Amino acid sequence: VGPPGSGSRWHFDPWGTAAWNLLFEGEKLWAFFPPSDNLAPPGVHAQEMAAGLTSDARVYYSAPAALGSLADEVSKEDSAVLWALQRPGDLIFIPSGWWHSTVSLTETSAYTRNYISTHNYKRAMEALLELHPSVADQLERWIWHLHMDDSDDERIEQEPSTKKQRTLAGDEIPQP
């Protein structure tokens, strides 16, 4: 739920997830910028920072407030930004890795979900392995069990010491 003028600054969704947004009421302006290793949306600045508990430096982004930033960008003719106007009942899909920003033009009510599918699984697993290894391990175990057929299940029950669980990449999953 958002009042007129509210919205989100430029960002991309976490862990390589994709998302969708269903608008129930109001109007929302969306701006999209494609994924890139060396380009960020207008006004977005990257900065490397160490987190304190880890020696790894991570990249953090700062972005201007959505309303002013998007108002400036909409008037440019040569902009690489893609635009969409969302109205009640419209479903917006945000692909994995795409930058996006929104501004509610009127009072809005919407529902958003992020998800991992076969299209963004590799990107999500890479991000999770780096940032949350235990979550990545749980996800791989869940997917392995989801795709295991009944004959594999029976073989595991008959030969528990000979059947090794493997990730989708073929790596052995450590057993508890």
Side-chain angles (χ1 to χ4, degrees):
V1 176
S6 65
S8 64
R9 296 172 186 252
W10 282 110
H11 68 283
F12 50 86
D13 290 325
W15 309 309
T17 60
W20 54 261
N21 178 280
L22 176 62
L23 189 65
F24 298 116
E25 64 178 297
E27 288 188 338
K28 188 183 288 195
L29 179 65
W30 287 79
F32 297 93
F33 196 85
S36 172
D37 289 335
N38 56 4
L39 286 177
V44 175
H45 301 284
Q47 181 179 4
E48 258 190 44
M49 298 172 65
L53 297 176
T54 176
S55 61
D56 296 343
R58 303 248 168 110
V59 177
Y60 294 89
Y61 298 94
S62 62
L67 185 57
S69 173
L70 295 183
D72 290 344
E73 194 59 29
V74 77
S75 62
K76 296 179 183 174
E77 291 182 26
D78 62 343
S79 175
V81 174
L82 302 174
W83 300 94
L85 178 61
Q86 187 181 25
R87 294 192 168 105
D90 289 346
L91 182 75
I92 297 281
F93 171 70
I94 304 100
S96 176
W98 275 72
W99 290 89
H100 51 285
S101 182
T102 64
V103 172
S104 294
L105 302 176
T106 63
E107 186 170 307
T108 59
S109 175
Y111 183 71
T112 299
R113 292 298 289 183
N114 288 69
Y115 67 94
I116 298 171
S117 70
T118 56
H119 297 284
N120 62 356
Y121 175 80
K122 184 177 177 185
R123 176 180 274 172
M125 283 303 294
E126 288 170 356
L128 286 170
L129 280 168
E130 181 181 336
L131 300 171
H132 304 286
S134 64
V135 174
D137 182 57
Q138 290 174 9
L139 178 61
E140 284 225 291
R141 286 174 184 263
W142 177 78
I143 288 176
W144 188 86
H145 285 292
L146 183 68
H147 294 286
M148 180 178 64
D149 67 18
D150 292 337
S151 62
D152 284 343
D153 195 24
E154 291 169 10
R155 204 175 317 128
I156 287 171
E157 290 174 10
Q158 293 170 1
E159 309 169 20
S161 62
T162 61
K163 179 68 177 174
K164 305 239 187 242
Q165 292 186 3
R166 302 219 174 257
T167 66
L168 295 177
D171 302 323
E172 188 176 325
I173 296 175
Q175 299 302 306

